[in-house]
Amino acid sequence: TTFFKPRSRSGMENFYPGETLLYWACGLGERSGTQEHERFQRSAEYYMEWHLREENRNPAFVPYHTLAYASAWRLTGSDWFREAIFEINDWLAGLQRIDHAEPDVLGDFYSSDHAEYGPSHTSSTAVYLESLVKALAVARESEDLDRAGRYREAIILALRNLIQLQFADDVDAFYVARQVRVFGALRTSPWDNSLRIDNVAHALLAVSRAL
């Protein structure tokens, strides 16, 4: 469904523009002219300016813009895209629970000071992991080794968090009647056993990129 006039401000600005830019970025290399590149950058600059206003900041903005900007950076060589990737992923990594976090939530992304960012959620951790893996690749290609090291640590902790939430064997699934149906799936959180396709899909995409 296309909403020319959004029915509500339910966070759509954090998802759909980035998804659209990622789709657009996938086709930039097929065009020889610079007009499409210029239009893409104008759009990216518009949404980055919007996101960086304190009242609009949200981690959901980061992953799709990161993936889109990385594609554009490799095509255009524009420093703007690289620096934008670093700015939003540095901020994202700062939301990861590390210090004094309980073992069950260590490595997820949650801020008790910002309830508007939403609760701890496996699909969120997994899609943020996608973003950090891509940002790590850009940092390494840019020979920014200090930043690459920070991203790598964040990736390892996020992977640990996801591994803990997977139904991997009959110990994990001791209370499940039809265990074979859940093996491989990831719970939505340590206290929510519902299984979602995006929990697994984003995790698989992140791990495949990491490998």
Side-chain angles (χ1 to χ4, degrees), residues 168-180:
D169 54 34
D170 56 1
V171 175
D172 295 327
F174 75 92
Y175 55 90
V176 179
R178 299 183 182 180
Q179 294 183 354
V180 69

Side-chain angles (χ1 to χ4, degrees), residues 61-103:
F61 175 95
V62 176
Y64 288 109
H65 283 266
T66 296
L67 299 177
Y69 297 174
S71 294
W73 174 65
R74 291 194 173 94
L75 286 168
T76 67
S78 170
D79 291 342
W80 186 93
F81 291 113
R82 181 187 61 209
E83 295 308 312
I85 290 168
F86 291 160
E87 181 165 13
I88 58 180
N89 282 277
D90 287 354
W91 177 78
L92 176 65
L95 298 177
Q96 190 176 39
R97 287 201 274 193
I98 301 173
D99 295 332
H100 310 298
E102 293 294 328

Side-chain angles (χ1 to χ4, degrees), residues 123-184:
S123 67
S124 297
T125 300
V127 76
Y128 300 154
L129 180 60
E130 282 190 77
S131 184
L132 288 164
V133 168
K134 183 63 72 171
L136 170 61
V138 173
R140 284 179 169 170
E141 290 175 43
S142 303
E143 298 183 348
D144 189 338
L145 300 185
D146 287 342
R147 179 173 269 115
R150 295 197 301 272
Y151 291 161
R152 182 178 181 275
E153 290 178 6
I155 288 166
I156 290 170
L157 284 172
L159 284 168
R160 175 195 178 279
N161 182 267
L162 295 180
I163 288 168
Q164 288 194 139
L165 292 167
Q166 187 174 43
F167 283 110
D169 54 34
D170 56 1
V171 175
D172 295 327
F174 75 92
Y175 55 90
V176 179
R178 299 183 182 180
Q179 294 183 354
V180 69
R181 291 193 171 191
V182 303
F183 287 150

